[in-house]
Amino acid sequence: MTSRFALALFLVGMSPAAAAPRQAAPPDRFDGTWSVEIITKTGSCDRAYRYPVRIENGRARFIGTAFVVEGGVTRNGAIRGSISNGAATADVRGRLDRNGFGTGTWVASGALSCRGHWNAERRG
């Protein structure tokens, strides 16, 4: 269960930007499939994981029902959000860049107390 919690850590940080009214919204440049590496620096979570994450319209999508994901990625690549599995909640921050890479940090509290960083690379 800790490995699925770590995958969700990346998803947490994706909160959409407040959009100004427009005629037609341009496609989100961060949409697509990302390979995300989660690394634990301190605490009781497993050491490292790598998972695919799908971003659609600035919102991260987790396949499954084990987590509640709130947040997304803004138009400038800022990531901010949270993820919860009922027993623990993780706060995620970071940034994706237009070259297809991203990095950030996460902190979990509750039943799992751990922290670390994440790296992402666009795969599609």
Side-chain angles (χ1 to χ4, degrees):
M1 180 144 114
T2 53
S3 63
R4 290 193 303 176
F5 186 75
L7 162 62
L9 292 175
F10 173 74
L11 303 177
V12 172
M14 316 263 175
S15 82
R22 298 179 188 200
Q23 294 290 85
D28 191 313
R29 66 177 149 203
F30 300 108
D31 282 1
T33 302
W34 293 77
S35 177
V36 181
E37 178 183 38
I38 309 291
I39 300 168
T40 300
K41 289 299 191 182
T42 62
S44 57
C45 295
D46 291 340
R47 170 73 176 114
Y49 322 90
R50 182 175 292 276
Y51 295 101
V53 173
R54 182 87 182 148
I55 298 175
E56 295 174 338
N57 297 317
R59 304 288 297 171
R61 182 169 54 114
F62 176 73
I63 299 173
T65 58
F67 304 99
V68 175
V69 175
E70 296 180 356
V73 59
T74 66
R75 291 224 179 260
N76 71 357
I79 292 176
R80 182 175 179 164
S82 66
I83 187 163
S84 174
N85 69 355
T89 299
D91 180 50
V92 176
R93 303 283 187 262
R95 182 167 300 279
L96 299 177
D97 68 29
R98 65 179 62 187
N99 296 320
F101 296 94
T103 188
T105 60
W106 59 270
V107 178
S109 60
L112 295 173
S113 181
C114 41
R115 66 179 51 232
H117 68 272
W118 58 266
N119 301 298
E121 180 178 352
R122 186 192 300 261
R123 296 292 172 102

